Amino acid sequence: VVSGSFEELSAKRAARARWLASKYPAAREALTFYADIASFQQGVDPHQPLAALAALIELVLEKGPPLLREATRDLDEDTCRVAIEDYARERDVTSPRSFFARVLLQPQMHAKAAGHAEPGAQLGRCPRCGHPPQVGCLRALEYGTALTFICSLCLAEFPFLRGRCPACGEAEENKIAYYSAAELEHVQIQACESCRRYFHNVSLAKDPEAIPDVDEVAALPLDVWAHEKGFRKLHANLLGI
Ligand SMILES: [Zn+2]
Ligand SMILES: [Zn+2]
């Protein structure tokens, strides 16, 4: 998933998001905005992310949800530089302001991550940038299924043990539960009964066209279900879901 330039990857992500938006009305709004963001990221210079801030603010004011529109009010290059620093160090990865930091930081982190691996990464963390995974990706093997994670920040893909919770390490079979919905067959939730965290697995075996970080946005109804059951997502996506 990390292969190719961020520009190419973003073009593919945008196209996939628009296609899914036409197919899954329940998540249409979220997917359309995600497509706009992915298209926007194609033009972000990884060496000068702040140069794209004005255009990002314009996009959010035009098409973004109220919470993000409001966050643009006290956002300028200085406050955004701090937000980027706070995101990179995981001091703030959830506020509306952190959205802007993440959108601008991703192209840079993707470029840095290519060909770079930090030895001794923590369990369940990206071996390239150290941030937590966004979403799981399932592929069929000759025997069984392989799980990889897509990093929430640099979008690098890295292997992980199937049936284990990346948040707390739980691996007891009866503590890890899976849920899916008939309308969205290729996405499932993996939830941990021990720490009450969950994430989505996107199956490339069931839909080879899927792009995990995009397809998990289509699974909005599964998120609603999980939150109602008292599970908390491992890492919120760009849309804060
Ligand atoms: Zn990463
Ligand atoms: Zn857990």
Side-chain angles (χ1 to χ4, degrees):
V1 176
V2 80
S3 63
S5 70
F6 196 76
E7 224 175 316
E8 285 165 359
L9 179 63
S10 297
K12 284 184 197 155
R13 289 161 67 229
R16 177 72 180 172
R18 290 195 204 287
W19 185 82
L20 289 171
S22 70
K23 219 179 151 212
Y24 298 106
R28 186 191 295 134
E29 242 177 88
L31 283 161
T32 303
F33 185 55
Y34 199 67
D36 291 335
I37 295 300
S39 297
F40 168 82
Q41 283 182 313
Q42 286 178 68
V44 177
D45 179 350
H47 306 293
Q48 272 189 310
L50 280 172
L53 176 62
L56 178 57
I57 288 176
E58 203 176 307
L59 170 68
V60 166
L61 287 176
E62 195 188 329
K63 296 175 171 173
L67 217 67
L68 293 182
R69 289 207 302 268
E70 214 177 288
T72 62
R73 258 195 245 161
D74 55 349
L75 198 64
D76 54 28
E77 282 206 14
D78 289 334
T79 50
C80 192
R81 190 175 293 117
V82 174
I84 285 177
E85 189 67 26
D86 284 347
Y87 196 101
R89 293 173 183 275
E90 289 189 74
R91 286 193 292 245
D92 174 16
V93 295
T94 54
S95 72
R97 184 182 283 188
S98 77
F99 161 89
F100 297 86
R102 190 170 172 187
V103 169
L104 295 175
L105 192 55
Q106 266 185 336
Q108 190 180 71
M109 294 307 287
H110 182 268
K112 263 195 201 164
H116 166 90
E118 297 210 2
Q122 258 178 283
L123 176 81
R125 294 256 164 174
C126 173
R128 294 182 186 270
C129 76
H131 277 249
Q134 181 66 61
V135 56
C137 178
L138 300 174
R139 285 186 181 82
L141 299 175
E142 197 176 343
Y143 303 102
T145 310
L147 170 68
T148 51
F149 277 136
I150 311 298
C151 174
S152 58
L153 181 56
C154 75
L155 297 178
E157 184 171 1
F158 56 99
F160 198 73
L161 282 176
R162 187 129 163 75
R164 183 169 192 181
C165 172
C168 74
E170 180 63 77
E172 287 277 342
E173 214 172 314
N174 61 359
K175 297 276 190 188
I176 306 288
Y178 301 92
Y179 305 95
S180 53
E183 319 81 87
L184 201 69
E185 255 202 339
H186 70 295
V187 186
Q188 74 175 185
I189 273 182
Q190 180 179 324
C192 172
E193 301 284 356
S194 291
C195 71
R196 308 294 290 171
R197 294 293 194 105
Y198 79 94
F199 61 93
H200 296 300
N201 279 326
V202 174
S203 170
L204 294 188
K206 288 184 179 162
D207 187 346
E209 302 292 314
I211 301 178
D213 73 284
V214 183
D215 285 59
E216 74 112 22
V217 177
L220 198 55
L222 284 177
D223 289 285
V224 173
W225 177 89
H227 286 267
E228 276 170 4
K229 295 274 173 202
F231 290 110
R232 206 153 59 88
K233 202 168 189 178
L234 187 61
H235 196 279
N237 62 30
L238 252 184
L239 305 176
I241 300 157

